[in-house]
């Protein structure tokens, strides 16, 4: 069935083997044919900008597939900055279901698509997700953070002690947040952060 085709060669925006529904076309005020020819990133943005929760959920479920279609460079230069701007830097709380899917999809990008040492730009998005009030979103974000952190080295071309400074700052912000929810997440990522520091920070002394 079409469920088996997730890793088939990507020919268009719908790499999952599905075709755009009429409902989706209507929610985007777009003809189905036009939808089929849209580049993956454009379709993703159009869906996430839609008023339709169904369209937005559908888009986020395809995040890893969109990333695969865009390739590592496109994902790091367009897709991740878009998510950072619209989620990490966005004070308004988005739909918890969409944030939960995002937290899980980010885990699928590393290391298969984004090499571990290039995954630092994911941290601000994950930090934001670690601060969300809804427990299942935070738990999934912590799980993804704990997967990504050990992969940040080796091979990174880091300046001024990053990613150590970045990880430390992230942990401090979460631990020092006004809401206990973020403090719980800080406790969840500290063991992996400390283990990463122990493994790499003292190298080269």
């Amino acid at each position: 069935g079409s469920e088996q085709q997730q890793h088939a060669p990507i020919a268009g925006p719908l790499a999952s083997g599905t075709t755009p529904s009429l409902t989706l076309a209507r929610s985007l005020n777009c003809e189905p044919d036009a939808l089929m020819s849209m580049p993956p990133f454009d379709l993703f943005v159009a869906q996430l900008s839609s008023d339709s929760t169904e369209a937005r959920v559908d888009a986020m479920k395809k995040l890893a597939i969109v990333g695969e279609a865009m390739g590592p460079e496109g994902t790091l230069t367009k897709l991740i900055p878009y998510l950072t701007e619209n989620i990490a830097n966005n004070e308004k709380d988005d739909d918890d279901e969409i944030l939960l899917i995002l937290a899980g999809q980010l885990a699928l990008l590393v290391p298969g698509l984004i090499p571990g040492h290039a995954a630092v730009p994911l941290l601000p998005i994950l930090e934001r997700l670690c601060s969300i009030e809804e427990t299942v979103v935070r738990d999934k974000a912590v799980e993804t953070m704990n997967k990504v952190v050990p992969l940040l080295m080796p091979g990174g071309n880091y300046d001024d002690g990053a990613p150590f400074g970045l990880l430390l700052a992230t942990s401090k912000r979460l631990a020092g947040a006004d809401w206990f929810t973020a403090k719980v997440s800080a406790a969840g990522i500290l063991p992996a952060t400390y283990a990463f520091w122990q493994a790499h920070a003292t190298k080269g002394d």
Side-chain angles (χ1 to χ4, degrees):
S2 61
E3 300 81 15
Q4 306 297 313
Q5 297 177 13
Q6 286 196 354
H7 297 291
I10 293 159
L14 298 147
S16 61
T18 60
T19 51
S21 67
L22 290 172
T23 315
L24 177 57
R26 275 198 294 271
S27 72
L28 298 179
N29 294 320
C30 180
E31 290 297 321
D33 289 349
L35 213 57
M36 284 295 285
S37 61
M38 282 176 87
F41 179 71
D42 294 351
L43 179 59
F44 180 77
V45 171
Q47 283 188 250
L48 268 194
S49 307
S50 164
D51 292 332
S52 159
T53 302
E54 183 195 359
R56 294 166 73 224
V57 166
D58 179 67
M60 202 56 92
K61 283 181 175 174
K62 291 195 172 88
L63 173 62
I65 290 169
V66 171
E68 204 175 310
M70 294 176 71
E73 188 177 344
T75 299
L76 285 167
T77 58
K78 288 180 76 174
L79 187 57
I80 298 304
Y82 173 80
L83 292 170
T84 303
E85 185 178 336
N86 288 277
I87 291 174
N89 298 340
N90 190 344
E91 287 305 312
K92 116 182 143 57
D93 274 351
D94 211 327
D95 186 296
D96 287 334
E97 183 183 4
I98 289 166
L99 297 178
L100 175 61
I101 296 165
L102 171 60
Q105 287 286 310
L106 288 174
L108 301 178
L109 299 178
V110 185
L113 180 67
I114 299 174
H117 65 79
V120 168
L122 273 62
L123 296 184
I125 305 170
L126 289 168
E127 179 183 343
R128 168 88 173 107
L129 295 174
C130 282
S131 306
I132 297 295
E133 194 175 340
E134 178 55 54
T135 305
V136 290
V137 176
R138 285 200 325 274
D139 287 352
K140 180 57 76 174
V142 166
E143 183 185 314
T144 297
M145 185 82 94
N146 285 336
K147 177 192 173 186
V148 170
V149 166
L151 301 173
L152 292 174
M153 299 275 259
N157 194 2
Y158 300 118
D159 298 323
D160 301 327
F164 307 108
L166 190 58
L167 287 172
L168 186 61
T170 298
S171 301
K172 279 184 172 176
R173 278 192 297 269
L174 289 170
D178 293 337
W179 298 97
F180 84 94
T181 49
K183 296 178 192 290
V184 172
S185 293
I189 66 169
L190 275 171
T193 302
Y194 181 70
F196 179 82
W197 188 85
Q198 285 284 88
H200 300 291
T202 53
K203 298 281 172 70
D205 284 354

